[in-house]
Amino acid sequence: MTRSARLRTHSREPRPTSRPLARAGLLVAAIGVALLAGLVGTIAAMNVIGPKASPPAMASAHFADETQSSGLAHTYGGGSEFEVGGGVAVFDCNGDGRPDLYLAGGANRAALYRNDSQVGGSLQFTKLGGSATDLADVNGAYPLDIDSDGIVDLALLRNGENILLRGLGGCRFERANERWRLDGGNAATDAFSATWEGAASLPTLAFGNYVRPELQDPHHLCYDNELVRPVASGNVYAAANPLTPSWCALSMLFSDWDRSGRRDLRVSNDRHYYLPDEGQEQLWHMAPGEPPRLYTEADGWALVQVEGMGIASYDLNGDGFPEYYLTSQAANRLQRLDAGPSRPRYDDIGFKAGVTASQPFSGGDTRPSTAWHPEFADVNNDGYLDLFVSKGNVEQQPDYAQRDPSNLFLGQPDGRFREVADVAGILSFDRGRGAALADFNMDGLLDLVEVNYGTQTRVWRNVGAGSADRPAPMGNWIALRLTQSGSNSDAIGAWVEVRIDDRVVQREVTVGGGHAGGQLGWIHFGLGQLDHVDVRVQWPDGTKTDWMPMRANAFGTIERGAATIQPWTPGRG
């Protein structure tokens, strides 16, 4: 029996043990929505996530589909063994400041695209071939500077051996598993995260693995997830340690949820592949030099079971602690820390915030949605965070929507969100997977790239308040990048704070989360009408800078130890 045929024995069609629960859950959800419908007017006045800010939200930005003219011609595809992958890595591979793309291919070969877009111009990409990068069986990729040499490396997630690519500059890469002594294994890997622990010279890596076709035990259908730490001294890795119990993971994220300075590991698991009385979402306590341990109910960790696809994190309410958005089939979750930093106990505020997104908002298909990549960012630069969620049926699951467009939710002053994907011009019925919001033409507006399963990857240019023929800016913005000497050159684990009016917007710098891909590079903040702001950084070791002024509509680099933000201009290095 082929690998593909074996995988079909573990089809994502609901198992008999989970079908009644799934249908019951949908029925309860439907009844709940009906009962609460009469309360919408009252709830609309609530501030669900934080204090109400005075400046009004702006209208939606507009996006122009530039796929055909961009030079981007790539399709992620393959059989059932590739259905749950499809990531994109966004990073600068040649040091010119513009974000480039590495696209997973599944059964097709992955591809590296250099960004040749002019400032403020149309989006243009050039495909760069290379034996190191053009690999088959790639589900996703994450950028990070593993050896802290100032050149971005890549972690490739594959069906088969995972591979670390060392950046050589000029968008050139070399295989580095042997250099860093990483055993890439032979699992089906779809999730990844990385962090630096203590004074280690190399990052700690977490790999999340999926279905193991030959396993028939309902208690154990997945490859074990793995934690890879560097040896105590030297620049190589020790043998991987399994993170057990393991279930089929589709997203992982190291995050300082309690602001202790310790980055614990969230794991989002696909509940289709665990029994209802066994599996759940996980949070691993991570302390340097100690084995990881799972948080339990005794610690305050509450049982959450979703078809875990992706994780997005951001401090949405300014309390200093990140909220987490978990994508799934049917209702997604937005988790807010309930008990403060003493216990990892979370409330689900997704319904109140308007982002459960349990059904398609357009297209006429009323079956439950299937969501993948979530990402918080400010696409209209009004100072309120927005949320993009990619969507698409796994393949042809009859219980779930076939016409399932991705969502773009605009953030509002009271912490709620409203759907604008159709108004924004990104309405599509392709089967979305990985995605990224990034400023490809360096004009201060975040563009969109989305990988689709079985159809062409698409890219949209953000034209602001204008049109494709006449783009127009909207709102002010800043973009920052952090640097420090020694290991962890990009300051993964730092927090960036920006004072916007009477609010402080805080963002944690992470590697991981999303779905099968992530970004490394400019950190974007919308400012509304403000023409200058103050910025502060908490470095990974907890040290804080003073507040530093920065003018709007500019790029700037914050180097550890410097007292000011160094301006950077596109085209000048």
Side-chain angles (χ1 to χ4, degrees):
M1 184 181 295
T2 66
R3 175 184 175 84
S4 179
R6 289 198 305 268
L7 274 170
R8 290 190 184 98
T9 67
H10 294 310
S11 159
R12 284 181 52 92
E13 298 303 318
R15 299 193 311 269
T17 55
S18 63
R19 186 181 295 272
L21 290 174
R23 288 180 173 171
L26 290 174
L27 178 60
V28 170
I31 293 173
V33 169
L35 291 174
L36 288 170
L39 301 177
V40 169
T42 302
I43 292 176
M46 296 171 55
N47 295 328
V48 298
I49 203 156
K52 187 171 183 177
S54 53
M58 293 182 180
S60 174
H62 299 138
F63 289 79
D65 189 341
E66 296 191 344
T67 304
Q68 298 306 316
S69 61
S70 69
L72 198 66
H74 184 78
T75 298
Y76 175 89
S80 58
E81 65 268 40
F82 295 107
E83 288 173 351
V84 299
V88 53
V90 178
F91 65 106
D92 180 6
C93 68
N94 59 358
D96 67 357
R98 290 177 292 192
D100 306 299
L101 298 174
Y102 184 79
L103 297 163
N108 303 322
R109 293 195 177 274
L112 177 65
Y113 281 85
R114 186 185 65 221
N115 181 2
D116 293 326
S117 307
Q118 297 301 306
V119 176
S122 60
L123 304 185
Q124 297 291 323
F125 297 91
T126 301
K127 186 176 182 179
L128 303 177
S131 58
T133 54
D134 298 358
L135 302 177
D137 301 320
V138 176
N139 297 315
Y142 287 82
L144 72 164
D145 187 358
I146 295 173
D147 54 3
S148 299
D149 64 354
I151 303 174
V152 181
D153 312 305
L154 286 171
L156 307 189
L157 315 183
R158 303 176 69 236
N159 284 349
E161 183 189 31
N162 296 320
I163 294 176
L164 300 182
L165 294 182
R166 179 172 177 258
L168 302 175
C171 296
R172 295 175 299 113
F173 293 86
E174 67 178 9
R175 175 187 167 96
N177 286 34
E178 291 73 24
R179 180 188 186 95
W180 292 318
R181 296 186 192 171
L182 177 83
D183 181 352
N186 194 40
T189 304
D190 291 282
F192 177 82
S193 191
T195 191
W196 270 260
E197 295 185 275
S201 57
L202 294 180
T204 293
L205 311 177
F207 293 91
N209 299 320
Y210 205 59
V211 176
R212 187 168 183 171
E214 67 269 22
L215 297 180
Q216 302 297 322
D217 181 355
H219 302 280
H220 189 204
L221 294 172
C222 314
Y223 291 97
D224 286 339
N225 301 324
E226 294 183 324
L227 185 73
V228 183
R229 281 169 155 160
V231 299
S233 60
N235 294 315
V236 296
Y237 283 105
N241 289 313
L243 287 168
T244 53
S246 282
W247 297 292
C248 287
L250 287 176
S251 193
M252 311 177 94
L253 182 65
F254 283 109
S255 176
D256 187 1
W257 66 271
D258 59 356
R259 300 302 297 270
S260 65
R262 182 192 65 253
R263 265 69 71 180
D264 292 333
L265 179 64
R266 273 186 165 254
V267 182
S268 199
N269 298 301
D270 185 350
R271 71 177 166 190
H272 180 75
Y273 294 107
Y274 57 71
L275 296 176
D277 59 346
E278 291 184 357
Q280 59 176 295
E281 299 293 278
Q282 295 171 300
L283 181 64
W284 291 91
H285 181 279
M286 299 287 302
E290 298 180 11
R293 68 168 180 84
L294 272 176
Y295 285 93
T296 66
E297 186 178 355
D299 301 309
W301 184 249
L303 176 71
V304 173
Q305 295 177 319
V306 293
E307 276 87 357
M309 310 287 202
I311 305 172
S313 69
Y314 218 118
D315 176 17
L316 299 178
N317 62 357
D319 66 354
F321 304 104
E323 278 71 45
Y324 298 97
Y325 188 78
L326 310 178
T327 55
S328 179
Q329 291 184 305
N332 303 300
R333 307 290 183 95
L334 178 58
Q335 294 189 324
R336 177 180 59 187
L337 191 62
D338 175 56
S342 62
R343 295 165 68 81
R345 189 174 70 206
Y346 287 85
D347 286 336
D348 180 12
I349 58 171
F351 179 80
K352 291 180 180 179
V355 291
T356 54
S358 57
Q359 292 177 312
F361 74 93
S362 180
D365 196 329
T366 60
R367 288 170 291 181
S369 280
T370 302
W372 301 90
H373 178 87
E375 187 171 337
F376 289 108
D378 189 352
V379 300
N380 58 354
N381 289 335
D382 62 358
Y384 303 113
L385 283 169
D386 311 313
L387 173 63
F388 175 81
V389 183
S390 70
K391 285 187 173 178
N393 196 290
V394 174
E395 211 285 328
Q396 294 290 331
Q397 288 189 339
D399 290 341
Y400 294 92
Q402 291 291 329
R403 292 173 61 80
D404 197 4
S406 299
N407 301 105
L408 180 60
F409 295 104
L410 279 194
Q412 304 299 300
D414 66 355
R416 295 184 172 282
F417 295 82
R418 64 183 181 89
E419 177 66 67
V420 297
D422 49 352
V423 175
I426 64 169
L427 182 66
S428 169
F429 296 100
D430 294 332
R431 286 176 292 181
R433 291 298 190 265
L437 290 161
D439 184 3
F440 293 115
N441 62 354
M442 312 303 284
D443 64 353
L445 292 166
L446 296 177
D447 310 302
L448 172 65
V449 60
E450 184 173 18
V451 177
N452 299 303
Y453 177 50
T455 56
Q456 187 172 355
T457 296
R458 300 180 71 173
V459 62
W460 289 267
R461 177 186 174 194
N462 189 336
V463 296
S467 63
D469 296 330
R470 301 187 66 180
M474 62 186 310
N476 294 329
W477 55 273
I478 59 171
L480 301 165
R481 61 184 176 191
L482 310 182
T483 65
Q484 61 179 7
S485 59
S487 63
N488 191 10
S489 61
D490 294 300
I492 305 305
W495 285 78
V496 183
E497 304 176 16
V498 179
R499 279 201 295 226
I500 301 175
D501 290 317
D502 59 348
R503 298 175 294 134
V504 175
V505 177
Q506 304 182 67
R507 177 173 176 177
E508 184 181 16
V509 182
T510 61
V511 172
H515 177 72
Q519 297 191 49
L520 183 66
W522 295 108
I523 305 169
H524 177 272
F525 296 89
L527 307 181
Q529 301 303 321
L530 296 181
D531 58 10
H532 68 279
V533 289
D534 294 321
V535 178
R536 183 170 67 178
V537 176
Q538 178 179 303
W539 298 100
D541 65 359
T543 304
K544 282 191 176 183
T545 68
D546 294 328
W547 287 102
M548 296 175 285
M550 184 174 180
R551 64 179 178 85
N553 304 324
F555 296 87
T557 297
I558 302 176
E559 184 176 353
R560 183 161 188 169
T564 59
I565 300 172
Q566 182 66 34
W568 181 88
T569 302
R572 298 183 184 176

